[in-house]
Amino acid sequence: HKDDAILARLGGDEFVILLPRLGSDKEEAHQYATQIAEKVVAQSKQACTLGGVEHFLTYSIGVCLMTDSGLKAEEHLKHADNALYQSKLEGRDQYSFFSKKMQQIVDQKHTLSSELKVAIQKTQFALHFQPIFNGENKLVSCESLVRWNHPRKGILAADTFIKQAEASRLIIALGEIVFREACKTLREWENRKMLDGFEHLSINISPLHFMHPTFVSFVRKTLMQEGVNGNMIMIEITEH
């Protein structure tokens, strides 16, 4: 019977609802699972009173239809978890169904994260500089732009990997590489007497890096090590 649902807690704030008897009709199973997901999401509109205070919960749901009998239970749970992650990306109180396309996207992200780890270890990144001129056509500042010298894909712009670097928490290490290289470049320009009339070098920093507990101490240490005047650096917080 369809109502023979099993509710279990995986841990923390994660729960699983198992609907074991939806039949072999995939469309009908999809429709019934959708109804259950919508019922759960509807609960977010009802207040939960704790200690005399009303609280509202939000739900993110991932759904996996067990159409492939060759998969183990753990693999079905992993698929549901991938769909759950997609729901979180789309905002709270959402539900998403697992699909092969979704798995391809997940696999691509995992591959990108692995390649980023190697790229950070081998320092496959370089800085390009965008000049900024004043009204008199004099160079007054530059913006540093990170590029990835990918061994197979060539030079990649930041928008192809920054979001995944943030999602995989690699943005701290990457941000330190960028800041350090920018300071080295600024010191080199100063040694070559190239900073006459130059106001500052802009460095893009991820909000995650900026809020990291070690950020301030890292900046101070790097400026001291590279012998760079902090007044010549402008930190810009990136936006997505």
Side-chain angles (χ1 to χ4, degrees):
H1 192 274
K2 287 182 179 179
D3 293 333
D4 293 339
I6 300 173
L7 175 63
R9 181 189 180 197
L10 283 183
D13 60 352
E14 290 191 343
F15 296 83
V16 171
I17 299 176
L18 179 63
L19 306 173
R21 301 179 184 179
L22 295 188
S24 58
D25 190 315
K26 185 176 180 180
E27 184 175 344
E28 184 179 343
H30 188 284
Q31 183 177 1
Y32 187 75
T34 298
Q35 293 174 3
I36 297 298
E38 290 178 344
K39 284 183 179 180
V40 174
V41 170
Q43 295 299 312
S44 65
K45 298 178 175 61
Q46 300 181 16
C48 176
T49 303
L50 295 173
V53 179
E54 287 190 341
H55 300 269
F56 289 88
L57 304 178
T58 59
Y59 300 86
S60 298
I61 302 173
V63 185
C64 173
L65 296 179
M66 302 172 68
T67 56
D68 189 344
S69 59
L71 295 180
K72 296 180 180 179
E74 292 82 359
E75 293 175 290
H76 286 297
L77 282 173
K78 182 180 179 181
H79 289 172
D81 192 54
N82 288 337
L84 169 63
Y85 179 73
Q86 181 62 35
S87 295
K88 289 182 177 180
L89 291 179
E90 295 177 0
R92 302 296 177 176
D93 288 336
Q94 302 284 339
Y95 63 88
S96 302
F97 279 81
F98 174 80
S99 65
K100 290 184 178 180
K101 182 178 180 181
M102 184 181 294
Q103 184 61 50
Q104 290 174 350
I105 294 174
V106 170
D107 291 342
Q108 290 171 359
K109 289 181 177 180
H110 286 167
T111 299
L112 182 56
S113 293
S114 298
E115 291 180 341
L116 277 170
K117 288 181 181 178
V118 174
I120 289 173
Q121 292 172 354
K122 296 185 177 181
T123 317
Q124 294 175 350
F125 301 95
L127 293 186
H128 292 200
F129 299 94
Q130 179 174 308
I132 300 174
F133 298 89
N134 63 11
E136 299 176 354
N137 204 31
K138 291 184 178 180
L139 179 66
V140 292
S141 63
C142 284
E143 180 181 3
S144 57
L145 305 171
V146 63
R147 296 291 182 262
W148 180 4
N149 294 322
H150 196 283
R152 291 184 294 102
K153 300 177 181 179
I155 298 178
L156 301 180
D159 59 1
T160 63
F161 58 86
I162 287 297
K163 285 187 178 180
Q164 189 57 31
E166 291 180 332
S168 55
R169 311 300 293 185
L170 295 171
I171 194 65
I172 309 301
L174 176 56
E176 289 183 353
I177 290 174
V178 170
F179 190 87
R180 190 177 295 111
E181 289 303 311
C183 288
K184 288 181 178 180
T185 301
L186 190 60
R187 184 190 60 188
E188 183 179 343
W189 290 349
E190 185 177 10
N191 292 339
R192 294 183 178 184
K193 310 298 181 182
M194 297 170 57
L195 298 182
D196 184 30
F198 193 84
E199 297 176 2
H200 63 264
L201 174 63
S202 296
I203 305 174
N204 293 313
I205 296 294
S206 164
L208 292 176
H209 191 189
F210 184 74
M211 297 298 293
H212 195 270
T214 63
F215 178 73
V216 174
S217 59
F218 165 76
V219 169
R220 287 176 174 171
K221 181 180 179 180
T222 304
L223 291 175
M224 185 177 298
Q225 289 178 337
E226 301 300 333
V228 172
N229 184 348
N231 292 328
M232 299 293 290
I233 298 291
M234 176 180 287
I235 292 175
E236 296 187 3
I237 309 301
T238 57
E239 298 179 0
H240 299 304

